[in-house]
Amino acid sequence: MGFRVLVANTGTTIDCAADQRILHAAVGAGVDYPYQCATGNCAACISELRAGEVSMLPYSDNALSVAQVAEGKILACRARPLSDVEVVWLGRGRK
Ligand code: FES
């Protein structure tokens, strides 16, 4: 099963499988999503979840704090969709 992911920065809507990370789906679809480590350690892919729900794979607290999670921030490299979602990357750590 897959979901639709709207990347608000580019206005691009991509398909993302339920077991796929949003970053990988975006990059695979040709979206120039910012990232560095792709393992949840650097925060380069930090994004705001504007709509929908995701599940997060393990990540470093240094990359995403509890306070940031409470504000609706996610790491695109660790996030798998649980519904159709809308995300916007926050511009840190471009490649
Ligand atoms: S790319 Fe490093 S935390 Fe996502």
Side-chain angles (χ1 to χ4, degrees):
M1 182 171 177
F3 297 105
R4 307 284 283 163
V5 176
L6 171 59
V7 181
N9 307 74
T10 60
T12 307
T13 300
I14 59 171
D15 294 315
C16 187
D19 62 352
Q20 188 177 26
R21 289 170 266 165
I22 289 172
L23 174 66
H24 292 185
V27 171
V31 176
D32 192 24
Y33 214 106
Y35 72 97
Q36 288 179 14
C37 71
T39 55
N41 290 298
C42 75
C45 68
I46 193 167
S47 303
E48 180 183 333
L49 181 64
R50 288 185 167 177
E53 293 181 71
V54 300
S55 65
M56 295 289 290
L57 295 164
Y59 56 88
S60 167
D61 290 346
N62 293 326
L64 187 69
S65 70
V66 172
Q68 287 173 312
V69 172
E71 294 169 354
K73 307 292 195 306
I74 63 169
L75 298 173
C77 72
R78 300 276 87 191
R80 298 183 296 193
L82 294 173
S83 68
D84 290 348
V85 300
E86 179 180 344
V87 296
V88 58
W89 74 66
L90 299 177
R92 288 176 50 188
R94 293 303 304 268
K95 290 175 283 184

